[in-house]
Amino acid sequence: MEDQGPPKRLRLEWRVLTVAKDADYPDENQDVVCVDGDRGAAAIADGVTSSLFARTWAAILVEAAVRGPPDPEDRAALASWLAEHRAAWRRQIEGARLAWFHKAKLRDGAFSTLLAIWLVPPEGPSGEDAPAWRLRGVSIGDSCLFHLRGGRLLRKFPIQTSAEFDHYPLVLGSVDLHRDEHLAFQRLDEPCREGDLVVLCTDALADWALRQEEAGRAADWEACWDMDPAAWKERILALRSEREIRRDDTTLALLRIVGDRGEKSPEEAG
Amino acid sequence: MPRAPYSQEISRQHKACFLFLLDQSFSMEEPLGGSDRRKCDELATAINGWLQNMAIRASGDEGIKDWMDVGVFGYRTDEASNMIIEPALLGELAGKRLVSITEIGNHPARIDTRNQWVPADEGGEMISVPCDVPVWVDPVAQGGTPMCNMLYLAHGLLAEWIRQHPDSFPPIVVHITDGESQDGDPIPYAEAIRKLSTSDGQVLLFNCHLSSTAAAPFMFPAKPDGLPDRLARMLFEMSSVLPDRFHRYAAEEGFELQPGARGMAFNANMVCLIQFLNMGTQAAAILR
């Protein structure tokens, strides 16, 4: 990379690799990723397979979070954010032909985890001594983030060890079951810089990666960037058959933080 | 890496199998302990509820995923003391020995409507609303208790299923009765069932005794010593030791289990019966 001073702004380049729990039925994959590279925002959600229209709910959540993530500190704003997107979910399933088992399940709605991140420019002077950009995030549930620099793991979020995985993680529901006061979002706010790799993944892959790390064999996320989707799928299927990874929807989003120099930002370009 | 037993995940490629064996003898006419309804009525309600919940759990946006086979058998005798051992499912599924959960969900014998209490949309208050209640089995109470013959038939059925699904999570058999076998000692037949195995472990046989009295229930005992009578000790001998996964699940549900706890309930009331059915199946079928 030619050194031309600090970048004017940071954005994301990305790759997404995914394999459904039942690889022969990709339409049943309930994991969803959304990235807006120019705005430096991304989100991953893991719809709970046993709930109904969970992919629809997960997709609504990631798109909403990339447009504007929920603010867990402001409970009124969070309630409003959830109400708006729950209404969107209801609108999407209205008119669907429902069997008795669908009707019974719809009362509880769909459930999904959510992990959203966004890049925040530094406040204060620009130039060589400018403070660092920030990598901020919110999470509910067991979708995970790994932040790497030069192939070295800097931090994990929100889960730190494989022992923390639970069969019943916290999830966001598409129906208000009057339990929102129990939603405890985890928050991330750390420095980041150009060249960093941010890995988002759903729980099966995160669990595998943490167990690898705990066994002294850290996952080589950088190598995944150039991996062909078919080769990646074969890798996951092999890990499943060896019982190294849980049979679950398995999704990896690789986000490379890249810098723009000189070019006008979309805002500046008007 | 050596595989832990009872760790196979349930999928279309590795289906599960749940087999229910229901005592339909005349004594099931008596009220269940702590209830004003007959044991056979409560049992039918519990089994219909289990089938309903499992079909709902296996359902996705496009229908019900074919993740498990289910068999429901009843056993009794007629007026001439002839054995009647037959599938208990009604309607389009009548006469079928094992059916997929997809068929179960798509073919209830009928759908009744009952009022159920559910949370209101706003405010968290409970309101009564009419709900669809699918029915697959009706209560039956007649004649004697040919338990050994029931277990013998189950053995053949399971052996065949295992031949077709050698790497699946092993079948789970839930046997519900209110009395003693009238066609011999069932323990060797139970042992034969428990000796069947897939590559993932031995068949699990869980036994639940329904009480006519309000006597204290015994759930998941680890030793036969404190059990009240010979029937209880016999069911203990017939029952599988709970594998770790089931042991953990039962503990999470609030049961105080000792090491070696068995899949057995004695003097069960309706609450115990439903807890027992849930424990036997939920622990295996984590369908996230």
Side-chain angles (χ1 to χ4, degrees):
Chain A
M1 189 191 317
E2 192 180 345
D3 186 6
Q4 298 173 317
K8 195 164 186 178
R9 70 185 185 101
L10 298 183
R11 59 184 173 83
L12 297 170
E13 291 180 350
W14 74 96
R15 292 210 64 204
V16 175
L17 298 161
T18 188
V19 181
K21 173 177 180 165
D22 190 334
D24 295 332
Y25 293 81
D27 291 348
E28 292 179 1
N29 193 333
Q30 313 281 348
D31 290 351
V32 187
V33 172
C34 181
V35 184
D36 184 335
D38 284 339
R39 291 184 56 242
I44 190 168
D46 177 354
V48 175
T49 306
S50 56
S51 64
L52 204 57
F53 301 116
R55 180 180 173 82
T56 302
W57 177 231
I60 287 170
L61 287 175
V62 291
E63 287 165 16
V66 165
R67 283 198 306 274
D71 180 359
E73 298 298 303
D74 183 342
R75 299 307 284 191
L78 175 62
S80 167
W81 191 90
L82 284 170
E84 177 188 347
H85 303 303
R86 284 169 171 161
W89 180 81
R90 278 197 302 277
R91 283 195 299 275
Q92 287 207 23
I93 60 170
E94 273 170 6
R97 286 185 59 205
L98 301 177
W100 69 265
F101 44 84
H102 283 141
K103 291 182 203 167
K105 213 165 187 173
L106 270 185
R107 282 196 291 271
D108 289 336
F111 300 97
S112 178
T113 69
L114 176 66
L115 194 170
I117 61 107
W118 59 100
L119 303 178
V120 180
E123 294 175 1
S126 58
E128 292 293 342
D129 299 327
W133 279 63
R134 310 291 297 181
L135 172 64
R136 290 197 180 141
V138 291
S139 169
I140 195 112
D142 59 7
S143 295
C144 287
L145 173 150
F146 300 98
H147 183 184
L148 296 98
R149 183 168 298 157
R152 190 171 62 84
L153 182 64
L154 292 180
R155 61 187 58 87
K156 303 169 266 188
F157 171 78
I159 288 178
Q160 304 298 314
T161 69
S162 62
E164 294 173 48
F165 283 99
D166 188 321
H167 281 302
Y168 302 102
L170 279 176
V171 283
L172 291 169
S174 68
V175 169
D176 184 359
L177 298 175
H178 311 289
R179 298 178 200 150
D180 290 348
E181 67 273 20
H182 300 300
L183 291 174
F185 282 82
Q186 303 289 313
R187 306 194 68 171
L188 173 75
D189 185 0
E190 297 288 346
C192 64
R193 67 187 191 207
E194 184 179 14
D196 286 358
L197 182 67
V198 178
V199 176
L200 306 183
C201 53
T202 47
D203 59 315
L205 188 61
D207 176 40
W208 171 83
L210 288 170
R211 282 187 284 108
Q212 291 291 108
E213 185 203 355
E214 289 155 10
R217 303 185 297 264
D220 185 357
W221 299 114
E222 293 284 354
C224 296
W225 187 274
D226 294 319
M227 200 175 252
D228 175 67
W232 195 76
K233 178 180 172 183
E234 286 307 309
R235 178 88 203 283
I236 296 300
L237 295 182
L239 288 171
R240 286 180 186 174
S241 71
E242 294 158 11
R243 304 277 191 103
E244 291 280 332
I245 191 169
R246 276 192 287 114
R247 188 180 299 275
D248 194 2
D249 294 338
T250 304
T251 299
L252 169 66
L254 297 165
L255 310 170
R256 176 78 69 198
I257 300 177
V258 296
D260 284 341
R261 291 173 174 77
E263 310 92 326
K264 285 183 176 176
S265 70
E267 293 79 11
E268 289 168 324
Chain B
M1 188 173 67
R3 276 170 32 178
Y6 303 107
S7 63
Q8 180 63 277
E9 288 169 305
I10 295 168
S11 65
R12 290 182 179 92
Q13 291 76 30
H14 296 108
K15 293 174 73 170
C17 177
F18 295 100
L19 181 61
F20 294 93
L21 311 179
L22 312 182
D23 180 345
Q24 295 179 328
S25 64
F26 181 72
S27 56
M28 294 291 283
E29 279 276 353
E30 297 167 6
L32 182 63
S35 167
D36 55 5
R37 298 180 71 211
R38 300 178 303 170
K39 284 182 269 192
C40 58
D41 293 327
E42 297 284 42
L43 179 55
T45 298
I47 295 296
N48 284 322
W50 187 92
L51 293 169
Q52 178 181 3
N53 287 336
M54 221 22 110
I56 291 170
R57 281 170 59 102
S59 69
D61 302 359
E62 305 303 325
I64 298 175
K65 295 167 191 169
D66 184 12
W67 284 347
M68 65 187 74
D69 290 329
V70 180
V72 185
F73 276 78
Y75 65 96
R76 61 188 188 277
T77 60
D78 64 13
E79 294 84 349
S81 297
N82 297 311
M83 293 190 301
I84 302 175
I85 298 178
E86 60 187 13
L89 298 171
L90 304 170
E92 288 189 45
L93 304 179
K96 295 193 175 181
R97 293 150 68 95
L98 281 176
V99 296
S100 73
I101 193 68
T102 311
E103 291 176 279
I104 292 274
N106 289 333
H107 300 292
R110 62 181 187 274
I111 294 183
D112 294 343
T113 302
R114 287 185 208 140
N115 278 354
Q116 291 184 350
W117 291 92
V118 299
D121 283 344
E122 302 293 338
E125 290 178 20
M126 300 296 280
I127 55 170
S128 177
V129 296
C131 291
D132 291 345
V133 179
V135 173
W136 292 270
V137 300
D138 276 335
V140 177
Q142 179 192 24
T145 314
M147 191 183 293
C148 296
N149 277 281
M150 178 72 262
L151 295 170
Y152 179 75
L153 183 146
H155 180 275
L157 192 68
L158 295 167
E160 178 57 28
W161 190 89
I162 287 170
R163 266 194 291 279
Q164 295 169 6
H165 305 85
D167 296 319
S168 279
F169 193 99
I172 295 174
V173 185
V174 180
H175 173 219
I176 301 160
T177 180
D178 72 336
E180 295 205 37
S181 168
Q182 293 176 338
D183 60 351
D185 178 3
I187 290 176
Y189 295 93
E191 278 177 357
I193 287 177
R194 295 200 315 271
K195 280 182 180 167
L196 292 170
S197 63
T198 68
S199 63
D200 194 47
Q202 291 187 312
V203 171
L204 296 168
L205 174 57
F206 300 148
N207 291 282
C208 180
H209 166 263
L210 300 180
S211 176
S212 301
T213 70
F218 292 81
M219 299 287 282
F220 312 120
K223 293 177 184 169
D225 306 353
L227 294 173
D229 60 25
R230 200 174 67 84
L231 173 59
R233 287 189 288 277
M234 183 191 75
L235 290 175
F236 179 87
E237 293 300 324
M238 291 170 64
S239 302
S240 299
V241 172
L242 291 176
D244 287 349
R245 188 164 166 175
F246 293 73
H247 202 284
R248 280 199 305 275
Y249 180 83
E252 285 169 9
E253 292 297 297
F255 293 102
E256 292 182 9
L257 272 64
Q258 302 298 316
R262 299 208 182 189
M264 172 196 164
F266 195 77
N267 285 341
N269 54 28
M270 188 60 170
V271 172
C272 296
L273 173 60
I274 290 172
Q275 287 174 326
F276 190 80
L277 291 177
N278 285 343
M279 192 287 305
T281 51
Q282 300 268 74
I286 295 169
L287 303 175
R288 179 160 183 261

